[in-house]
Amino acid sequence: MLKTSDLKVARAWAIKEMFRGFWDYRYAGWAKRHFDRWYAWAIRSRLTPIKKKAKMIKNHLPNILTYFKHRISNPVAEGLNSKIQTIKANARGYRSFAGFRNSILFYCGGLDMAP
């Protein structure tokens, strides 16, 4: 079993895999209990990078737990922003905001150009 292995990489992998289950919970309270168990293990792991990440996650835990209330994340917004930045870079500047806006609506708006 990975959890009882003496190899550092095996322990790090097991800790990472245990955290993956955090996102499967439906309620913030149960997710917090899972996190608390995971955090205790991560801090006792004697693996400095794991301890550093565990502390970082703990500092942001209240904000992370809001995911379980709203079930909203931002990958779609990030993807859309990336596409807009690509449009802007490909054009190397627009003469007006209206031209920039029209390009965004054309490429990101899902327009059907077929008659």
Side-chain angles (χ1 to χ4, degrees), residues 57-113:
I57 294 169
K58 186 174 183 175
N59 289 338
H60 295 282
L61 190 62
N63 293 329
I64 294 169
L65 290 174
T66 60
Y67 168 78
F68 297 98
K69 182 177 180 182
H70 303 292
R71 292 282 178 187
I72 297 172
S73 60
N74 69 345
V76 174
E78 291 293 333
L80 189 59
N81 187 41
S82 174
K83 197 166 189 177
I84 290 170
Q85 293 303 320
T86 302
I87 292 167
K88 189 164 95 175
N90 287 341
R92 303 284 188 258
Y94 285 89
R95 291 182 183 269
S96 68
F97 178 75
F100 182 46
R101 181 178 178 272
N102 289 340
S103 290
I104 292 170
L105 293 174
F106 179 79
Y107 289 107
C108 301
L111 297 176
D112 183 14
M113 299 302 288

Side-chain angles (χ1 to χ4, degrees), residues 1-11 46-47:
M1 182 176 194
L2 284 176
K3 190 172 183 177
T4 59
S5 176
D6 288 335
L7 296 174
K8 288 182 180 182
V9 70
R11 280 187 290 139
R46 298 185 321 262
L47 300 170

